[in-house]
């Protein structure tokens, strides 16, 4: 589990998430089957497509908590504790 505080809005898209060593580093997180990316607009990406919405998005001043449980094979996100 880790937290990321978004200090400023630099414009464009911000993805937070996890990936394997096989991820394409030249693409956005979630652009292939090797990563999951939570977009600042509130969408979850995997396999080069939007796989769902995750409540609200995040931006400047927010803290995003990312929890990866490898034993249960789950990945979850919380924005400002919600």
């Amino acid at each position: 589990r880790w937290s990321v505080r978004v200090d400023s809005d630099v414009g464009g898209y911000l993805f937070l998430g996890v990936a394997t060593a096989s991820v394409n580093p030249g693409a956005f997180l979630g652009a292939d089957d090797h990563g999951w990316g939570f977009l600042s607009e509130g969408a979850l990406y995997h396999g080069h497509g939007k796989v769902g919405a995750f409540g609200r998005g995040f931006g400047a001043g927010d803290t995003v908590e990312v929890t990866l449980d490898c034993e249960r094979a789950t990945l979850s996100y919380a924005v400002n504790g919600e």
Side-chain angles (χ1 to χ4, degrees):
R1 175 182 298 172
W2 62 97
S3 296
V4 176
R5 178 172 164 75
V6 181
D7 289 328
S8 63
D9 184 0
V10 295
Y13 298 111
L14 175 61
F15 285 86
L16 297 175
V18 298
T20 70
S22 299
V23 72
N24 177 355
F28 65 86
L29 190 56
D32 58 27
D33 291 332
H34 302 288
W36 291 85
F38 176 38
L39 177 60
S40 57
E41 295 179 346
L44 185 63
Y45 281 79
H46 175 69
H48 198 69
K50 180 178 175 181
V51 294
F54 185 83
R56 69 177 193 86
F58 59 91
D62 290 329
T63 298
V64 181
E65 184 175 282
V66 183
T67 304
L68 175 63
D69 187 332
C70 294
E71 291 180 9
R72 292 190 174 121
T74 61
L75 175 64
S76 60
Y77 297 92
V79 178
N80 299 324
E82 297 179 15

